[in-house]
Each structure stands twice: as C-alpha cells, then as structure tokens.
Amino acid sequence: MEEFLIVDGYNIIGAWPELSKLKDTDLEGARDKLIHMLAEYQSYSGMKVYLVFDAYMVPGLGKKYVQSKLIVLYTKEKETADERIERLVTNLMGRRKQIYVATSDMIEQHVIFGKGALRLPAGELLVKIKQNRKEVRERIHPETSTKRNPFEGKLSSELKAQFERWRRGE
C-alpha cells in the first residue's frame, strides 16, 4: 500500500515548541528546519511527503518545488493551505493508497477525515519523527556494551572464580 503524508507547514511550525520559538526570530529558518526534518522522515519511513505552506496574502500563482526529494507546495493567491490540502487529498485518493494529513486544526482534521484521509495531530507527528531519529541512530551506532570487561559474559563461572582468587592474591 502506498502511503502519503500531507503536512500543513505553518500549523506544524506553530505547534512544535522548537520551531515555534524559532519562527519568532527566523521564519525562514523554521521552514528550512521543518523541511529538513520531514525529508529525513520521508527517507526513513518510505512515505511520500507533501509539505504545504500558506501564501494566502502573497500575490502569485503558487509554487511547487522538490527539496531533498520532499515536495514543497506554496498556495496561490487567495488560496489557503487548508484548501490546497483538501484538493491534494482528493487528487491522491485511490485504491491501495493511505493518506495522512498532519495538522492540529480540528476543522481541517474533520474535513479531510470526511474525504477518506487519516488525521495526524502535530504532536503525534513530532513523536514519530523523534522515534525514527532514535531508530536511525541505533542502526548507525549500535549501543556498545556498558560492562567494563567485555569478556565477563563469555567466561564460565568456574573461570571467573579462579580469576577472582588470583586478583585477591589467593
């Protein structure tokens, strides 16, 4: 089954503490950080991720580009991110496809749920991303033994006792 994740960019930025704090001083930095986090998530999870940013008050036709294999969409003039997300859900809907929409906007969650997509609250997406990062770290750097002596688990109890007697000078 093909899986898609559609993310309401500014909603997520406002909902995640780290990005919310960053957006107050550097909105572009917050967007870039979100793009980076979602690109990592996409590469590990195997989901196709669409990130939608609201350009409601910005004149123009909207914009679509790919960054780190992540599809980033800016809405066109007089179009909200919610409208673009709803249209995207409708276009992607099909057999053997599962669509998730990440937003904390309750009204939007109900609308996309009515269209057949599943909702993913912002906090839950953050937990999934952190969990994926942890799994990647564990795969790259498996935990080494915390024991002082790596041979301890490989020695018989008789041999351990003999070494202990030698250590004590017996």
Side-chain angles (χ1 to χ4, degrees), residues 74-115:
Y74 284 91
T75 64
K76 57 188 174 188
E77 186 178 5
K78 296 185 179 173
E79 179 185 39
T80 65
D82 292 349
E83 292 168 338
R84 183 68 175 105
I85 289 169
E86 291 164 21
R87 201 167 74 240
L88 195 54
V89 167
T90 302
N91 293 342
L92 290 174
M93 201 48 84
R95 296 181 114 197
R96 303 197 41 79
K97 291 183 180 180
Q98 187 61 66
I99 301 170
Y100 299 87
V101 177
T103 181
S104 288
D105 181 341
M106 287 302 290
I107 295 170
E108 182 62 13
Q109 286 181 1
H110 290 297
V111 170
I112 58 96
F113 191 66
K115 289 183 175 283

Side-chain angles (χ1 to χ4, degrees), residues 3-16 19 30-43 45 47-55 63 65 69-75 80-89 92 98-105 108-109 112 117-129 132:
E3 292 185 309
F4 298 90
L5 173 64
I6 303 169
V7 179
D8 185 342
Y10 289 127
N11 185 279
I12 297 297
I13 287 173
W16 290 358
L19 296 180
R31 277 195 306 258
D32 289 343
K33 188 162 187 134
L34 179 60
I35 289 169
H36 177 73
M37 292 169 80
L38 291 174
E40 281 181 349
Y41 180 73
Q42 175 178 257
S43 64
S45 71
M47 293 177 107
K48 186 69 183 167
V49 179
Y50 292 84
L51 177 58
V52 180
F53 286 112
D54 199 341
K63 182 165 97 170
Y65 68 95
K69 296 184 181 179
L70 177 77
I71 298 173
V72 181
L73 303 165
Y74 284 91
T75 64
T80 65
D82 292 349
E83 292 168 338
R84 183 68 175 105
I85 289 169
E86 291 164 21
R87 201 167 74 240
L88 195 54
V89 167
L92 290 174
Q98 187 61 66
I99 301 170
Y100 299 87
V101 177
T103 181
S104 288
D105 181 341
E108 182 62 13
Q109 286 181 1
I112 58 96
L118 298 175
R119 54 188 181 253
L120 186 65
E124 195 173 320
L125 178 59
L126 184 58
V127 168
K128 285 178 177 268
I129 286 175
N132 276 2

